[in-house]
Amino acid sequence: MTDYSFLKPLFGADGSKAVTYDQFTEALDAQKEIKIGNLADGSYVAKGKFDAVVTERDTLKSGKEEADKKLAGYDPEWKTKAEAAQAEADAKVNAILLKNAALGALKGAGCKDPDLAFMALDASKLKLDGENVIGLNDQIEASKKAHPSLYDVEGDEKQTQQRGNFRVTTGSNGRTQPHGSDKETLDAIYANNPFYKK
């Protein structure tokens, strides 16, 4: 139960004097030892609670400082080692990001086996800049010259080959197409075949 005895002086020496609201507020304003606040909105924190929070904060701070001292006692270089481990982890992540970006660029350049081509690159000369790999284009061009079989044929180059009784042309899209009279012969052979496309 809350103790309101500190309010007695406002109601006379023995606390039996009846007062109106205005008399009560006037007497309250005259008292220097009494300060009243509305605690319902939670804006007021009791001194005891405030002191407890400050004490807890100071204890945690002191505990952290003590833990740091102990770590330094066990291993004076713990902070340097932690920073080195973080740098190593960052380097590994960057290496993975660089490789993924390089593989994408190799694929875009028509490389049939980007993983194999990447192993032949000098990764020490590559640098990741956002999603781009600086120094990669020159190495891709050199790789194309050194290992042309690793890359798709570019442009509309066509090669004519003899296959049995038919001459076919292979274009950059990899599809074969019969030539001239060969096409007419095929049309005649498969005239009644619903799956044959003229």
Side-chain angles (χ1 to χ4, degrees), residues 41 71 74 80 89 92 138 141 144 169-170 181 183 191:
D41 63 358
L71 281 172
Y74 294 136
T80 304
K92 286 180 180 178
D138 293 339
E141 291 307 315
K144 281 182 178 180
T169 299
T170 304
S181 61
K183 183 170 182 350

Side-chain angles (χ1 to χ4, degrees), residues 29-45:
D29 289 339
Q31 288 284 335
K32 292 183 180 178
E33 294 81 13
I34 301 174
K35 296 293 179 191
I36 295 180
N38 184 357
L39 305 183
D41 63 358
S43 60
Y44 173 81
V45 177

Side-chain angles (χ1 to χ4, degrees), residues 12 24 41 64 110 112 159 170-171 185:
F24 174 75
D41 63 358
K64 181 185 178 301
K112 298 174 185 175
Q159 299 174 349
T170 304
T185 304

Side-chain angles (χ1 to χ4, degrees), residues 23-102:
Q23 291 171 332
F24 174 75
T25 55
E26 186 179 336
L28 187 59
D29 289 339
Q31 288 284 335
K32 292 183 180 178
E33 294 81 13
I34 301 174
K35 296 293 179 191
I36 295 180
N38 184 357
L39 305 183
D41 63 358
S43 60
Y44 173 81
V45 177
K47 186 176 184 306
K49 287 185 179 179
F50 176 78
D51 291 343
V53 170
V54 170
T55 302
E56 184 180 358
R57 180 204 63 189
D58 293 343
T59 301
L60 290 172
K61 186 178 178 183
S62 175
K64 181 185 178 301
E65 290 172 357
E66 188 65 28
D68 287 348
K69 286 178 185 176
K70 284 183 180 178
L71 281 172
Y74 294 136
D75 185 358
E77 298 178 3
W78 72 271
K79 193 174 276 189
T80 304
K81 288 179 180 178
E83 290 171 355
Q86 182 64 51
E88 183 181 349
D90 290 343
K92 286 180 180 178
V93 169
N94 286 336
I96 291 170
L97 292 174
L98 185 142
K99 182 177 180 180
N100 287 342

Side-chain angles (χ1 to χ4, degrees), residues 118-140:
F118 180 79
M119 288 181 358
L121 299 179
D122 185 354
S124 67
K125 294 181 180 177
L126 302 178
K127 183 180 178 184
L128 189 64
D129 180 24
E131 294 181 4
N132 300 318
V133 182
I134 298 173
L136 181 61
N137 288 339
D138 293 339
Q139 291 198 49
I140 288 178

Side-chain angles (χ1 to χ4, degrees), residues 106 113-123 139 143 146-147 150-151:
L106 284 164
D113 192 343
D115 287 300
L116 181 63
F118 180 79
M119 288 181 358
L121 299 179
D122 185 354
Q139 291 198 49
S143 176
H147 311 285
L150 265 178
Y151 297 85

